[in-house]
Amino acid sequence: MSTHVIYPGTFDPVTNGHLDIIVRAASMFDHITVGVAESPSKKTMFELDERVELLRDAVAHIPNVSVEGFSGLLVDFAKQQQANVLVRGLRTTMDFEYEFGLTSMYRKLLPGLESVFLTPSEEYAFLSSTIVREVAIHGGDIRQFVPQQVAAKIKLKIMK
C-alpha cells in the first residue's frame, strides 16, 4: 500500500521545532507534503504565499519533502493530494486533547485518513510560532528558534 503523508499547519512562522518534525517524518516516510493552511480566521504575520516560500526555502535540502499551500478543509486537501496519513506534532497534553478531537472528526469526514503523532525533540518542546512572534515583536533575538531567512523576514515585517 502506498502512503502519502501530509504534515499540515499554519506555519506562521515556520520554526526549528516544525523542521525537527519534518526531518524526522521524512526519515520515516517516502514523501512528505507540508500543507500550509491559509487559516483566514487567524491573524497571520505572513500571507499564505510568503509562508509557502519560507517553508520551501527551509526544506529545500530535504529531497523527499514538498510544500503546498491550501485553503478550506484539511480533509479536502488530503483528498486532493490522495493522502492517507497526517503527521501532527504534539508538545503538551493540551495539544493531544485538541488533536485527538480533530482526528476523530477527520475520520468521520474521510474514513481511512490516519494520524501519526510525533513529539518534538526536547530542545524544541517549548517552541511555538506564537512564542516566536511575541519574542520578535518585543525585540528579542529569535535566531536560535527559526531558520536564518525566517528571522530576517520577521525582522523586516516588524520594522514596517
Side-chain angles (χ1 to χ4, degrees), residues 14-99:
V14 59
T15 69
N16 291 338
H18 293 129
L19 295 177
D20 174 59
I21 298 290
I22 292 168
V23 167
R24 290 174 40 235
S27 73
M28 296 170 22
F29 299 100
D30 292 334
H31 186 82
I32 306 291
T33 299
V34 179
V36 183
E38 185 173 32
S39 298
S41 62
K42 293 184 179 180
K43 288 192 173 201
T44 58
M45 177 178 277
F46 293 100
E47 297 296 323
L48 177 60
D49 61 333
E50 293 174 301
R51 289 181 277 133
V52 168
E53 179 185 335
L54 287 170
L55 255 158
R56 284 184 178 152
D57 288 346
V59 300
H61 66 287
I62 312 170
N64 62 329
V65 174
S66 60
V67 179
E68 299 293 332
F70 74 96
S71 61
L73 291 175
L74 175 57
V75 291
D76 291 338
F77 180 66
K79 284 181 197 174
Q80 174 199 347
Q81 294 290 313
Q82 297 179 339
N84 52 355
V85 175
L86 299 177
V87 169
R88 301 296 291 155
L90 298 177
R91 293 169 304 196
T92 66
T93 56
M94 288 184 352
D95 286 349
F96 174 78
E97 289 180 16
Y98 177 73
E99 292 296 336

Side-chain angles (χ1 to χ4, degrees), residues 68-141:
E68 299 293 332
F70 74 96
S71 61
L73 291 175
L74 175 57
V75 291
D76 291 338
F77 180 66
K79 284 181 197 174
Q80 174 199 347
Q81 294 290 313
Q82 297 179 339
N84 52 355
V85 175
L86 299 177
V87 169
R88 301 296 291 155
L90 298 177
R91 293 169 304 196
T92 66
T93 56
M94 288 184 352
D95 286 349
F96 174 78
E97 289 180 16
Y98 177 73
E99 292 296 336
F100 186 80
L102 286 178
T103 297
S104 297
M105 178 61 74
Y106 298 151
R107 283 189 188 141
K108 291 286 187 192
L109 295 173
L110 185 58
L113 183 63
E114 295 294 338
S115 295
V116 173
F117 300 105
L118 298 177
T119 58
S121 298
E122 188 175 307
E123 64 191 292
Y124 304 119
F126 68 93
L127 194 54
S128 72
S129 295
T130 303
I131 290 171
V132 168
R133 286 193 311 270
E134 285 297 313
V135 170
I137 288 168
H138 295 289
D141 185 359

